[in-house]
Amino acid sequence: MQSITKTKLRKEEVIRLTQEAFGRDVKLEKIRELTDGFFNTAYMIDISEGPKTVLKVSPVKDVQVMRYENNLMKTEVFALNEMYKSEGIPVPKVLYYDSSGEIIDSEFFFMEFVSGSSLDKIREQLTEQQYNAIYLELGKIVKKINMIRGDYFGHISQENKRFSTWAEAFLNMIKDLLDDAKDVRISFSYKNDKLYDILNEQRDILNQVKTPSLVHKDLWEGNIFVDPKSAQITGIVDCERALFGDPLLEAVCGFLMRNNIFMDAYMGKDSLSKDEEIRCMLYKIYLYLIMIIESTYRQYKDKSIANWARSELNNTLNDLIEIKCI
């Protein structure tokens, strides 16, 4: 995916970073850019007499990003390290991390290469039984991710965005998105103050969440790697958007709400209480705001996703208002 946030490196720069991480005597046999991501740049590197590794590079510091996207690489490294320490969560090991900005004008890290193929690419090859088994396994894995607890709600890599309650954290996330939209002159069907007020009225329901859980927050099929032969999950990747919050964010941001196999394995049920449904509506609004706003920040040429998200945002806002009036 083409995005202004992606930092393109010359071959000489990739070699330099690899030697910085693994020693001056390391020789690179092959370098291939992995183009599926939407934010960071990633390269697969074959090292002579060593395993494959993946290099991820953050945007350069002068690229304008959304407020929540500041220091995302720090978040990803933290989340990967925490998940790697927990038994039964298949994530790649972080091999080297440099946040100094001294070698290149970006943060970068190396991690283990994840074998297999992303689920979105092999979905058509799978039987229904295999597909369901993957989501049964995913539900169990994500439960383990959410068992990693924090002592605050909110952003991992931005200390001034950490809060003692989930309502404070989530509403701050909404406020940041609305400020991002204002900066690039994006408007919505409701004025920003009105939109914020609609969500703020659900503060008490948000505060039913008492425990800060680690949330991956980007579990769409492109971030789930699977062995095509065994149909088992080989890795979960791209956790740079992770935070400590409500586990229900996983189901919404991963578009998993309608997957009964996942929901049953994940929550022990495939239906939600009224308050849980309202929280999910709030999280959908949050997700659709991101999808609309990031299209402008990243200068995507294809606006179809942003247009779809705008329609869904309006529908969800109207549904939320209707529930309030019942």
Side-chain angles (χ1 to χ4, degrees), residues 99-278:
S99 60
S100 68
E102 294 177 359
I103 304 174
I104 57 172
D105 189 27
S106 298
E107 297 181 48
F108 66 93
F109 77 95
F110 288 85
M111 66 180 182
E112 293 176 329
F113 174 76
V114 176
S115 62
S117 301
S118 58
L119 180 55
D120 64 323
K121 291 186 175 179
I122 64 166
R123 183 172 181 174
E124 299 302 320
Q125 304 172 27
L126 301 170
T127 65
E128 183 178 358
Q129 184 178 9
Q130 288 175 319
Y131 188 72
N132 289 341
I134 289 168
Y135 274 100
L136 178 63
E137 183 184 4
L138 182 66
K140 296 175 181 178
I141 291 170
V142 180
K143 282 179 68 174
K144 293 176 182 177
I145 294 174
N146 298 157
M147 287 300 294
I148 300 171
R149 309 299 193 191
D151 54 10
Y152 59 86
F153 289 99
H155 292 285
I156 292 167
S157 60
Q158 300 184 49
E159 293 186 9
N160 64 330
K161 304 283 173 88
R162 298 175 179 177
F163 301 89
S164 59
T165 70
W166 176 230
E168 289 178 289
F170 180 74
L171 291 169
N172 181 264
M173 289 155 57
I174 294 295
K175 184 180 182 300
D176 276 354
L177 290 177
L178 296 176
D179 287 342
D180 288 332
K182 183 179 179 181
D183 288 346
V184 292
R185 299 182 180 182
I186 295 174
S187 59
F188 305 103
S189 56
Y190 293 90
K191 290 184 178 180
N192 286 9
D193 290 347
K194 174 63 175 175
L195 198 158
Y196 180 87
D197 288 344
I198 292 170
L199 275 62
N200 187 44
E201 289 173 356
Q202 307 300 329
R203 177 180 288 269
D204 289 344
I205 290 179
L206 288 166
N207 276 335
Q208 291 176 6
V209 181
K210 302 296 184 183
T211 304
S213 299
L214 184 64
V215 179
H216 181 291
K217 207 165 74 66
D218 196 15
L219 287 171
W220 73 288
E221 293 187 350
N223 288 337
I224 303 163
F225 276 68
V226 175
D227 182 333
K229 294 183 179 179
S230 67
Q232 292 185 325
I233 295 175
T234 57
I236 304 292
V237 300
D238 288 0
C239 53
E240 64 262 28
R241 290 166 181 77
L243 52 72
F244 285 108
D246 181 358
L248 274 175
L249 267 172
E250 300 284 32
V252 173
C253 293
F255 295 95
L256 296 162
M257 294 291 297
R258 296 182 180 178
N259 189 312
N260 292 341
I261 301 295
F262 172 85
M263 292 298 288
D264 188 53
Y266 181 51
M267 299 193 68
K269 57 182 181 180
D270 56 15
S271 61
L272 304 176
S273 69
K274 181 178 178 180
D275 286 351
E276 287 172 335
E277 287 181 353
I278 290 174

